[in-house]
Amino acid sequence: MTDFMETEDRREIIKQKLRQNFDGRIVRKDLTKKIKEGANVPVYVLEFLLGQYCSSDDPEIIEQGVENVKHILADNFVRPDEAQKILSVLRQRGSYTVIDKITVSLNIRYDMYEAEFSNLGLKNIPISEEYPTKYDRLLCGGIWCIVQLDYETENEFAPEIISASGDYIQSKKKRQKDATPISIRKLTPIQMPHVDIEELKQGRKAFTEDEWMDVMLRSIGMEPDTLTKREKWLIITRMLPLVENNFNLCELGPRSTGKSHLYKEISPNSILVSGGQTTVANLFYNMGRKTVGLVGLWDCVAFDEVAGIHFKDKDGIQIMKDYMASGSFARGKEEKAASASMVFVGNINQSVDVLLKTSSLFDPFPPEMGTDTAFLDRIHCYIPGWEIPKFRPEHFTDDYGFITDYLAEFLRELRKEQYGDALDKYFRLGKNLNQRDTIAVRKIVGGFVKLLYPDGEFTKEQLEKILQISLEMRRRVKEQLKKLGGMEFYDVNFSYIDNETFEEHYVSVPEQGGGKLIPEGMCNPGQVYTVSRGKSGMIGVFRLESQMLPGNGKFDRTGLGSDRDAKEATDTAFKYLKANGSRISGTLSTTIKDYIINYQDLQGIGMTSKLALPTLIALCSIALGKPTVSTLAVLGEISISGTMIKVDDLANVLQVCLDSGAKKILLPITSAGDLGSVPAELMGSFNIIFYNSTEDAVFKALGVE
């Protein structure tokens, strides 16, 4: 009960602060939902009207306001199929008020401004220059307005332009075939005609970090009280492409977690390419018409269902790679630049654990993208969509948030500011981050600062939190690249260094698991860890656990199934022990004891066949009652006669050892020549123990000098 009271008090405090600082810029989100379901009008048109008529807490005023809004929409909103009917009514009455999207352009020939109506289908309507001067967004792609139109057929000349104060101005057109009897008496913008960014920065100062986060979430229709802190951060991350230029984001997760909702419904500055089929002309540049495609017209281009992305042109993905890296693309003779962010959203069909074991987290992408490391390396941020809950009705808010258009516009304004260097004041990045990683992390940090601290005021602790989540979002991309591209991307241990204390902090990725496969401390006798290539071709970790019982020299194996190669390797080990046991220790007996070894494939990649040496070490360990040295990974293999076989693909094997938590490596001397291919940082992470013979390997594994 106390929790409920606290929540209510918080809500009330936030509401009061919004009223004081952003009056006329806020709206109750449940009213939007209520009308939106019945009227297919843009959210921002609806919310503007609701902000005008329902800005109160009195239920009667709200109810009356909602009715007014419904009437206005029914009478004045222009549906494209009713355009001719409205023009007819305008002609009969002589004047009529419409709600439509208006774009203004300058006609240089006649030195006058002309308006174009999107749904009404009217062009070249004279308009007073006061409007585009006052509302500059009319000239930049157009905005929704309430417009009072007049219809005049009496004049010899084309209708005069009516100024905002109601004066008539003579146009320079003679009565000609292109003249029109329609003139604009009054124009009122419904969307924000311009945004005062200073007002936003001042208003932000009144809120705490948590309160501002709640306001942002409610503005996109989510209810923060139903979400955990982590979920709030992840949903806010979705907004980064709207505040950062040329930001590439990927989110894959289960269905109905609202991945595409933000880009489709909330922001008028982003476009969702559904179905995935597209062309270079549509997306980048149409050489026939000499026009820039979607990346030049929108702030954010989102691809829904990445699995279906398909370019009709062969060079589509190549041009996309070029654009994602540099923000420009060459087409024909020209190079074009644009600032649109790219967003890829799609569904994951299996659980994350399965994907991590069997393929990569980019698996849903089409093969030409999902296996192309150069393409994936250009993705700055990967949101773990599987951590966001499936949305139910209680997840949507019925509280106050910013009018969608106000939100979209100040996000657009913030694209002009740069906060990528915010981290330099307190921190610097670790040496494992290459240039692309650094750019990505700085972009994410800059985006979060714009969203949460647009006034540029934040503490060291607040920035550290942002930096940790930024490093995690990029590391998720890098981890998958390492899986796909091997040694080229070995440096995934991302860290940041505190400028004051010089402490280095490492950031992990939750799904990779903090619990290492090879544990710290001493193992039980007979427990051995080995790293080698499994049946699927991937490198993984395998655990052997042994038991010894009184008996007559039997050897049982569990966990191998019907794998013939693996069974042969284990037989090799037992035969070798029978023949040479006395050279290892006089107390070893293979006649009065039975041995059982259980083999475990810890990453589900298929059992390895390189099991002779690990099996031998496990048998000796249990027989002598001596555990292997701590955090040891056994590498290499032996033949039936005890010949050492060197390790294939040493650098990648050592990388897996590092990721699994191994600190000591048992390595055949025959592999010493391959150490030159291993990066120095990787070598420095281990204590490498070389062995010269099979017996030597057993002694060193058990720590016997």
Side-chain angles (χ1 to χ4, degrees), residues 136-167:
D136 50 6
R137 279 186 64 197
L138 284 165
L139 298 160
C140 317
I143 51 176
W144 284 81
C145 304
I146 298 177
V147 189
Q148 206 175 322
L149 295 174
D150 281 2
Y151 196 97
E152 184 77 61
T153 54
E154 306 296 311
N155 286 341
E156 180 192 337
F157 294 104
E160 286 87 359
I161 301 161
I162 307 170
S163 72
S165 54
D167 301 327

Side-chain angles (χ1 to χ4, degrees), residues 174-273:
K174 293 273 186 267
R175 167 68 81 194
Q176 292 161 344
K177 62 180 185 314
D178 60 342
T180 163
I182 298 172
S183 54
I184 295 172
R185 177 163 292 278
K186 190 175 178 209
L187 178 145
T188 314
I190 286 182
Q191 285 176 261
M192 298 287 153
H194 49 82
V195 170
D196 184 356
I197 204 78
E198 287 308 313
E199 174 195 56
L200 173 84
K201 290 179 177 180
Q202 283 308 312
R204 165 67 183 91
K205 292 183 185 336
F207 297 81
T208 65
E209 180 197 302
D210 287 344
E211 288 172 348
W212 185 255
M213 207 174 227
D214 287 4
V215 169
M216 292 297 272
L217 287 164
R218 286 195 182 114
S219 301
I220 60 171
M222 305 307 333
E223 178 47 68
D225 293 343
T226 59
L227 301 166
T228 64
K229 189 79 180 177
R230 170 89 173 158
E231 289 163 359
K232 288 182 190 180
W233 273 98
L234 293 176
I235 293 174
I236 292 273
T237 312
R238 287 176 175 172
M239 297 166 78
L240 291 175
L242 301 172
V243 288
E244 273 296 312
N245 293 322
N246 302 107
F247 185 80
N248 309 318
L249 175 135
C250 162
E251 180 181 351
L252 302 175
R255 289 159 182 78
S256 70
T257 54
K259 294 186 286 292
S260 54
H261 170 73
L262 176 70
Y263 312 110
K264 190 170 173 66
E265 295 289 339
I266 307 296
S267 173
N269 305 321
S270 78
I271 186 166
L272 188 73
V273 180

Side-chain angles (χ1 to χ4, degrees), residues 385-494:
W386 51 89
E387 290 189 40
I388 295 172
K390 287 186 176 252
F391 287 152
R392 294 186 302 279
E394 63 264 26
H395 285 114
F396 295 97
T397 189
D398 55 4
D399 213 329
Y400 283 86
F402 290 130
I403 293 173
T404 302
D405 196 56
Y406 181 64
L407 174 78
E409 278 316 299
F410 79 64
L411 291 183
R412 186 174 217 177
E413 276 300 302
L414 287 170
R415 289 173 84 92
K416 297 172 185 171
E417 303 197 4
Q418 289 303 323
Y419 284 118
D421 55 353
L423 61 93
D424 296 339
K425 191 173 173 187
Y426 302 112
F427 306 102
R428 66 174 192 272
L429 297 171
K431 52 177 192 295
N432 261 357
L433 284 89
N434 64 27
Q435 182 59 16
R436 274 212 175 123
D437 303 326
T438 307
I439 291 171
V441 169
R442 285 188 182 279
K443 274 185 180 279
I444 304 172
V445 168
F448 273 127
V449 170
K450 288 180 201 179
L451 287 168
L452 299 175
Y453 312 103
D455 52 345
E457 291 181 18
F458 45 84
T459 63
K460 182 177 174 182
E461 285 70 33
Q462 288 168 332
L463 190 68
E464 188 165 15
K465 201 182 298 172
I466 287 176
L467 185 54
Q468 283 169 350
I469 198 156
S470 304
L471 284 162
E472 179 208 316
M473 294 296 162
R474 174 63 189 173
R475 181 169 174 178
R476 186 168 289 108
V477 175
K478 202 71 183 285
E479 285 280 2
Q480 303 315 306
L481 285 171
K482 188 182 81 182
K483 262 193 170 168
L484 295 162
M487 270 330 288
E488 190 185 345
F489 303 100
Y490 76 92
D491 44 357
V492 293
N493 286 319
F494 286 6

Side-chain angles (χ1 to χ4, degrees), residues 474-521:
R474 174 63 189 173
R475 181 169 174 178
R476 186 168 289 108
V477 175
K478 202 71 183 285
E479 285 280 2
Q480 303 315 306
L481 285 171
K482 188 182 81 182
K483 262 193 170 168
L484 295 162
M487 270 330 288
E488 190 185 345
F489 303 100
Y490 76 92
D491 44 357
V492 293
N493 286 319
F494 286 6
S495 61
Y496 61 94
I497 299 160
D498 190 315
N499 284 344
E500 282 175 23
T501 60
F502 298 108
E503 265 183 274
E504 191 163 9
H505 302 273
Y506 287 88
V507 173
S508 62
V509 186
E511 66 271 9
Q512 296 293 120
K516 299 287 189 186
L517 294 173
I518 301 176
E520 297 271 346

